[in-house]
Amino acid sequence: MSDHVLITGGAGFIGSSLAKRFVAAGMSVTVLDALIPQVHGEDPASTSPLLRSLDGVAEVIAGTVNSTADLRRGLDRANIVVHLAAETGTGQSMYEIDRYTGTNVGGTAKLLDLLANEPHEVRRLVIASSRSIYGEGSYRTADGRVVHPPHRADADMAAGDFSVHMRGEGDLQVIPTDEDAKLHPSSVYGITKQMQEALIMTVAPTIGVEPVSLRYQNVYGPGQSLKNPYTGILSIFSTLIRQGKEINIFEDGLESRDFVYIDDVVEATFLAATEPGASGGVFNVGSGVATTVQDVVAALFDAFGTEVPTRVSGNYRLGDIRHNIADTTRLREVLRFEPSVDFAEGLRRFVEWVLTEPVEGDSYQKSLDEMSSRNLLK
């Protein structure tokens, strides 16, 4: 018999594409998703293209990982579980602490509790972890040592110094962060992702389930939410460009991220769920290439064929990191997988898709106002 896969959070950006990949490989899929309005709109059946894309692909359970009954129903017949369900967004996590912790940590604990105490057929559990658990990540000192600096100080950033510093060290050079780097997240979201990963990697082997953790970098591509103002600068900036509004570039615009295309993420996740060699592994899933925010804006202007005013404001968010670049050596060596879509091609595909979508309302400014009112945006 073919494998049956449960994808929690499977009606989202990554999960809906992943479901199709499993089905193409001859597997059957159940999706458990809370269908939250922030991502799917107020009436998901009519307002969520991601949900509609699962018609005829997967059984969809509208439910939550905080419900034992919903989880129990989702686990029926499952041999493989991909746990994507999570509240996402670094900024929002800093003031919706109970919701983020309850879903991300509590939901993961409830899933493991069921697997530990009730009969099941699950043999592998893949957790979608995050680059956010590294905090500022890895840097090299002038004399060649690899260090993991603390979070940036509010006082430094208020003075316009956005660089990463470490007491007793001179200038630091950012380098790709590998899976053995120090874990010290700088946001509530990052803390919850670290706890999700730790719970699964610790508990699963004791109950006969193979764990795999994937530390996703900045995933982007067609299907990404254009409604959610708390995640994805590509979506946020694209909407501002289409509205003809100014783009406020935080810090000095030289902060960078590792953008990885959705198709590459889906394939890496499929391999993590199915390859024998992945068992027990922790893998960065990224491109291994850093792209600055200023370069993102320039690339979007080029792709859309138009520009809007930009302002490098010096604003900053508490909890944000300066840079992140994934070391993808382990992904290549163990899973024999290397991302194939570079940022230029991926962005072209993304913008091509965005132009087919309706222009969303201005919920981004509301999200900034919420953060500013809590002294998290300065």
Coordinates of all heavy atoms in Angstrom, one line a residue, residues 146-207:
V146 N 35.2 31.4 14.5 CA 33.8 31.5 14.3 C 33.1 31.8 15.6 O 33.3 31.1 16.6 CB 33.3 30.2 13.7 CG1 31.7 30.3 13.5 CG2 33.9 30.0 12.3
V147 N 32.3 32.8 15.6 CA 31.6 33.2 16.9 C 30.1 33.4 16.6 O 29.7 33.5 15.4 CB 32.2 34.5 17.5 CG1 33.6 34.3 17.9 CG2 32.1 35.7 16.4
H148 N 29.3 33.5 17.6 CA 27.9 33.7 17.5 C 27.5 34.8 18.4 O 27.2 34.7 19.6 CB 27.2 32.4 17.9 CG 27.6 31.2 17.1 ND1 28.5 30.3 17.5 CD2 27.3 30.8 15.8 CE1 28.8 29.4 16.5 NE2 28.0 29.7 15.5
P149 N 27.4 36.0 17.8 CA 27.2 37.2 18.6 C 25.8 37.3 19.2 O 24.9 36.7 18.7 CB 27.4 38.4 17.5 CG 28.1 37.7 16.4 CD 27.6 36.3 16.4
P150 N 25.7 38.1 20.3 CA 24.4 38.3 20.9 C 23.5 39.2 20.1 O 23.9 39.7 19.1 CB 24.8 39.0 22.2 CG 26.0 39.7 21.9 CD 26.8 38.8 21.0
H151 N 22.3 39.3 20.5 CA 21.3 40.2 19.8 C 21.8 41.6 19.8 O 22.5 42.1 20.8 CB 20.0 40.1 20.5 CG 19.5 38.7 20.8 ND1 19.7 37.7 20.0 CD2 19.0 38.2 21.9 CE1 19.3 36.6 20.5 NE2 18.8 36.9 21.7
R152 N 21.5 42.3 18.8 CA 21.9 43.7 18.7 C 21.2 44.6 19.8 O 20.0 44.3 20.1 CB 21.5 44.3 17.3 CG 22.4 43.6 16.2 CD 22.0 44.2 14.9 NE 20.7 43.8 14.5 CZ 20.0 44.3 13.4 NH1 20.6 45.3 12.7 NH2 18.8 43.9 13.1
A153 N 21.9 45.6 20.3 CA 21.4 46.4 21.3 C 20.5 47.5 20.8 O 20.8 48.2 19.8 CB 22.5 47.0 22.1
D154 N 19.4 47.8 21.5 CA 18.5 48.8 21.1 C 19.2 50.2 21.0 O 19.0 51.0 20.1 CB 17.3 48.9 22.1 CG 16.2 49.9 21.8 OD1 16.3 50.5 20.7 OD2 15.3 50.0 22.6
A155 N 20.1 50.4 22.0 CA 20.8 51.7 22.0 C 21.7 51.9 20.8 O 21.7 53.0 20.3 CB 21.6 51.8 23.3
D156 N 22.3 50.8 20.3 CA 23.2 50.9 19.2 C 22.3 51.3 17.9 O 22.7 52.2 17.1 CB 23.9 49.6 18.9 CG 25.0 49.4 19.9 OD1 25.5 50.4 20.6 OD2 25.5 48.2 20.0
M157 N 21.2 50.6 17.8 CA 20.4 50.8 16.6 C 19.7 52.1 16.6 O 19.6 52.8 15.6 CB 19.3 49.7 16.5 CG 20.0 48.3 16.2 SD 18.8 47.0 15.7 CE 18.0 46.7 17.3
A158 N 19.3 52.6 17.8 CA 18.8 54.0 17.9 C 19.8 55.0 17.5 O 19.4 56.1 17.0 CB 18.3 54.2 19.4
A159 N 21.1 54.7 17.6 CA 22.1 55.6 17.2 C 22.5 55.4 15.7 O 23.5 56.1 15.2 CB 23.4 55.5 18.1
G160 N 21.8 54.6 15.1 CA 22.1 54.3 13.6 C 23.1 53.3 13.4 O 23.6 53.1 12.2
D161 N 23.6 52.6 14.4 CA 24.6 51.5 14.2 C 23.8 50.2 14.2 O 23.4 49.6 15.2 CB 25.6 51.5 15.4 CG 26.6 50.4 15.3 OD1 26.6 49.7 14.2 OD2 27.4 50.3 16.2
F162 N 23.7 49.6 13.0 CA 22.9 48.4 12.8 C 23.8 47.1 12.7 O 23.3 46.0 12.5 CB 22.0 48.5 11.6 CG 21.1 49.7 11.6 CD1 21.2 50.8 10.8 CD2 20.1 49.7 12.6 CE1 20.4 51.9 10.9 CE2 19.2 50.8 12.7 CZ 19.4 51.9 11.8
S163 N 25.1 47.3 12.8 CA 26.0 46.2 12.6 C 25.9 45.3 13.9 O 25.4 45.6 14.9 CB 27.4 46.7 12.5 OG 27.6 47.4 11.3
V164 N 26.4 44.1 13.7 CA 26.5 43.1 14.8 C 27.8 43.2 15.5 O 28.9 43.3 14.9 CB 26.3 41.7 14.2 CG1 26.5 40.6 15.3 CG2 24.9 41.5 13.6
H165 N 27.7 43.3 16.8 CA 28.9 43.5 17.6 C 29.0 42.4 18.7 O 28.0 41.8 19.0 CB 28.9 44.8 18.3 CG 28.9 46.0 17.4 ND1 29.9 46.4 16.6 CD2 27.8 46.9 17.1 CE1 29.6 47.4 15.9 NE2 28.3 47.7 16.2
M166 N 30.3 42.2 19.1 CA 30.5 41.2 20.2 C 31.6 41.8 21.1 O 32.7 42.2 20.6 CB 30.9 39.9 19.6 CG 30.9 38.7 20.6 SD 31.1 37.1 19.7 CE 30.9 36.0 21.1
R167 N 31.3 41.8 22.4 CA 32.3 42.4 23.3 C 33.7 41.8 23.2 O 33.8 40.5 23.1 CB 31.8 42.2 24.8 CG 32.6 42.9 25.8 CD 32.1 42.6 27.2 NE 30.7 43.1 27.4 CZ 30.4 44.3 27.8 NH1 31.4 45.2 28.0 NH2 29.2 44.6 27.9
G168 N 34.7 42.6 23.1 CA 36.0 42.2 23.0 C 36.5 41.8 21.6 O 37.7 41.5 21.4
E169 N 35.6 42.0 20.6 CA 36.0 41.7 19.3 C 35.9 42.9 18.4 O 35.2 43.8 18.7 CB 35.0 40.6 18.7 CG 35.0 39.3 19.4 CD 36.3 38.5 19.4 OE1 37.2 38.8 18.5 OE2 36.4 37.5 20.1
G170 N 36.7 42.9 17.3 CA 36.6 44.0 16.4 C 35.5 43.8 15.4 O 34.5 43.3 15.7
D171 N 35.8 44.2 14.1 CA 34.9 44.0 13.0 C 34.6 42.5 12.8 O 35.5 41.7 12.9 CB 35.4 44.6 11.7 CG 35.4 46.1 11.8 OD1 34.7 46.7 12.7 OD2 36.1 46.7 11.0
L172 N 33.3 42.1 12.6 CA 32.9 40.8 12.4 C 32.4 40.6 10.9 O 31.8 41.5 10.4 CB 31.8 40.4 13.3 CG 32.1 40.4 14.8 CD1 30.9 40.2 15.6 CD2 33.2 39.5 15.2
Q173 N 32.7 39.5 10.3 CA 32.3 39.2 9.0 C 31.3 38.1 9.0 O 31.5 37.0 9.5 CB 33.5 38.7 8.1 CG 33.1 38.3 6.7 CD 34.3 37.6 6.0 OE1 35.4 37.5 6.5 NE2 34.0 37.3 4.7
V174 N 30.1 38.3 8.4 CA 29.0 37.3 8.4 C 29.5 36.2 7.5 O 30.1 36.4 6.4 CB 27.7 37.9 7.9 CG1 27.8 38.4 6.5 CG2 26.6 36.9 8.1
I175 N 29.2 34.9 7.9 CA 29.4 33.7 7.2 C 28.2 32.9 7.2 O 27.3 33.0 8.0 CB 30.6 33.0 7.7 CG1 30.4 32.5 9.2 CG2 31.9 33.8 7.6 CD1 31.5 31.6 9.7
P176 N 28.1 31.9 6.3 CA 26.9 31.0 6.3 C 26.9 30.2 7.6 O 27.9 29.8 8.2 CB 27.2 30.0 5.1 CG 28.1 30.8 4.2 CD 28.9 31.7 5.1
T177 N 25.7 30.1 8.1 CA 25.4 29.4 9.4 C 25.1 28.0 9.2 O 24.2 27.7 8.4 CB 24.3 30.1 10.2 OG1 24.6 31.5 10.4 CG2 24.0 29.4 11.5
D178 N 25.9 27.1 9.8 CA 25.6 25.7 9.7 C 24.7 25.1 10.8 O 24.4 25.9 11.8 CB 26.8 24.8 9.5 CG 27.7 24.8 10.7 OD1 27.2 25.0 11.9 OD2 28.9 24.6 10.6
E179 N 24.3 23.9 10.7 CA 23.3 23.3 11.7 C 23.9 23.1 13.1 O 23.1 22.9 14.0 CB 22.8 22.0 11.1 CG 21.9 22.1 9.9 CD 22.7 22.1 8.6 OE1 24.0 22.2 8.6 OE2 22.1 22.0 7.5
D180 N 25.2 23.2 13.2 CA 25.8 23.0 14.5 C 26.0 24.4 15.3 O 26.6 24.4 16.3 CB 27.1 22.3 14.4 CG 27.0 20.9 13.9 OD1 25.9 20.2 14.3 OD2 27.8 20.4 13.1
A181 N 25.6 25.5 14.7 CA 25.8 26.8 15.3 C 24.9 26.9 16.5 O 24.0 26.2 16.8 CB 25.4 27.9 14.3
K182 N 25.3 27.9 17.3 CA 24.6 28.1 18.6 C 23.2 28.6 18.3 O 22.9 29.3 17.3 CB 25.3 29.3 19.3 CG 24.7 29.7 20.6 CD 25.4 30.8 21.3 CE 24.7 31.3 22.6 NZ 25.5 32.4 23.2
L183 N 22.2 28.1 19.1 CA 20.8 28.4 18.9 C 20.5 29.5 20.0 O 20.6 29.2 21.2 CB 19.9 27.2 19.1 CG 20.2 26.0 18.2 CD1 19.2 24.9 18.4 CD2 20.3 26.5 16.7
H184 N 20.2 30.7 19.6 CA 19.8 31.7 20.5 C 18.9 32.7 19.8 O 19.3 33.8 19.5 CB 21.0 32.4 21.2 CG 22.0 33.0 20.2 ND1 22.6 34.2 20.4 CD2 22.3 32.7 18.9 CE1 23.4 34.6 19.4 NE2 23.2 33.6 18.5
P185 N 17.6 32.3 19.7 CA 16.7 33.1 18.9 C 16.4 34.5 19.6 O 16.6 34.6 20.8 CB 15.4 32.3 18.9 CG 15.6 31.3 20.1 CD 17.0 31.1 20.1
S186 N 16.1 35.5 18.8 CA 15.9 36.9 19.3 C 14.5 37.3 19.3 O 14.2 38.5 19.5 CB 16.8 37.8 18.4 OG 16.4 37.7 17.0
S187 N 13.5 36.4 19.0 CA 12.1 36.7 19.0 C 11.3 35.6 19.6 O 11.8 34.5 19.7 CB 11.6 37.0 17.5 OG 11.7 35.7 16.8
V188 N 10.1 35.9 20.0 CA 9.2 34.9 20.5 C 9.0 33.8 19.5 O 8.9 32.6 19.8 CB 7.9 35.5 21.0 CG1 6.9 34.4 21.4 CG2 8.1 36.4 22.2
Y189 N 8.8 34.2 18.2 CA 8.6 33.3 17.2 C 9.8 32.3 17.1 O 9.6 31.1 17.0 CB 8.4 34.0 15.8 CG 8.5 33.1 14.6 CD1 7.4 32.2 14.4 CD2 9.5 33.1 13.7 CE1 7.4 31.3 13.3 CE2 9.6 32.2 12.6 CZ 8.5 31.4 12.4 OH 8.5 30.5 11.3
G190 N 11.0 32.8 17.1 CA 12.2 32.0 17.1 C 12.2 31.0 18.3 O 12.6 29.9 18.1
I191 N 11.9 31.5 19.4 CA 11.9 30.7 20.6 C 10.9 29.5 20.4 O 11.2 28.3 20.8 CB 11.5 31.5 21.9 CG1 12.7 32.5 22.2 CG2 11.3 30.6 23.1 CD1 12.3 33.5 23.2
T192 N 9.7 29.8 19.9 CA 8.7 28.7 19.7 C 9.2 27.7 18.7 O 8.9 26.5 18.8 CB 7.3 29.3 19.4 OG1 7.4 29.9 18.1 CG2 6.8 30.3 20.4
K193 N 9.9 28.2 17.7 CA 10.3 27.2 16.6 C 11.5 26.3 17.2 O 11.5 25.1 16.9 CB 10.8 28.0 15.4 CG 9.8 28.8 14.7 CD 8.6 28.0 14.3 CE 8.8 27.0 13.2 NZ 7.5 26.3 12.8
Q194 N 12.3 26.9 18.1 CA 13.4 26.1 18.7 C 12.7 25.1 19.6 O 13.2 23.9 19.6 CB 14.3 27.0 19.5 CG 15.4 26.2 20.2 CD 16.3 27.1 21.1 OE1 16.0 28.3 21.2 NE2 17.3 26.5 21.6
M195 N 11.7 25.4 20.3 CA 11.0 24.5 21.2 C 10.3 23.4 20.4 O 10.3 22.2 20.8 CB 10.1 25.2 22.1 CG 10.8 26.1 23.1 SD 9.6 27.0 24.2 CE 9.1 25.7 25.3
Q196 N 9.7 23.8 19.3 CA 9.0 22.7 18.5 C 10.1 21.7 18.1 O 9.8 20.5 18.2 CB 8.5 23.4 17.2 CG 7.1 24.0 17.3 CD 6.6 24.4 15.9 OE1 7.3 25.1 15.2 NE2 5.4 24.0 15.6
E197 N 11.2 22.2 17.5 CA 12.2 21.3 17.1 C 12.8 20.4 18.2 O 12.9 19.2 18.0 CB 13.4 22.1 16.4 CG 14.5 21.2 15.9 CD 15.6 22.0 15.3 OE1 15.4 22.8 14.4 OE2 16.8 21.9 15.8
A198 N 13.0 21.0 19.3 CA 13.6 20.3 20.5 C 12.6 19.2 20.9 O 13.1 18.1 21.3 CB 14.0 21.2 21.6
L199 N 11.4 19.5 21.0 CA 10.4 18.5 21.4 C 10.4 17.3 20.5 O 10.4 16.2 21.0 CB 9.0 19.2 21.5 CG 8.7 20.1 22.7 CD1 7.4 20.9 22.5 CD2 8.5 19.2 24.0
I200 N 10.3 17.6 19.2 CA 10.2 16.5 18.3 C 11.5 15.7 18.2 O 11.4 14.5 18.2 CB 9.8 17.1 16.9 CG1 8.3 17.4 16.9 CG2 10.1 16.1 15.8 CD1 7.8 18.1 15.7
M201 N 12.6 16.4 18.1 CA 13.9 15.6 18.0 C 14.2 14.8 19.3 O 14.9 13.8 19.2 CB 15.0 16.6 17.7 CG 14.9 17.4 16.4 SD 14.6 16.3 14.9 CE 16.2 15.6 14.7
T202 N 13.6 15.3 20.4 CA 13.8 14.5 21.7 C 12.9 13.4 21.9 O 13.2 12.3 22.3 CB 13.8 15.5 22.9 OG1 14.7 16.5 22.7 CG2 14.0 14.8 24.2
V203 N 11.6 13.7 21.7 CA 10.5 12.7 22.0 C 10.4 11.6 20.9 O 10.2 10.4 21.2 CB 9.2 13.4 22.2 CG1 8.1 12.4 22.4 CG2 9.3 14.4 23.4
A204 N 10.4 12.0 19.6 CA 10.1 11.1 18.6 C 10.9 9.8 18.6 O 10.3 8.7 18.5 CB 10.2 11.7 17.2
P205 N 12.2 9.8 18.8 CA 13.0 8.6 18.8 C 12.6 7.6 20.0 O 12.7 6.4 19.9 CB 14.5 9.0 19.0 CG 14.5 10.4 18.5 CD 13.1 11.0 18.9
T206 N 12.1 8.2 21.1 CA 11.7 7.4 22.2 C 10.4 6.6 22.0 O 10.1 5.7 22.7 CB 11.6 8.2 23.5 OG1 10.4 9.0 23.4 CG2 12.8 9.1 23.7
I207 N 9.7 7.0 21.0 CA 8.4 6.3 20.7 C 8.4 5.6 19.3 O 7.4 5.3 18.7 CB 7.2 7.3 20.8 CG1 7.4 8.5 19.8 CG2 7.0 7.8 22.2 CD1 6.2 9.4 19.8

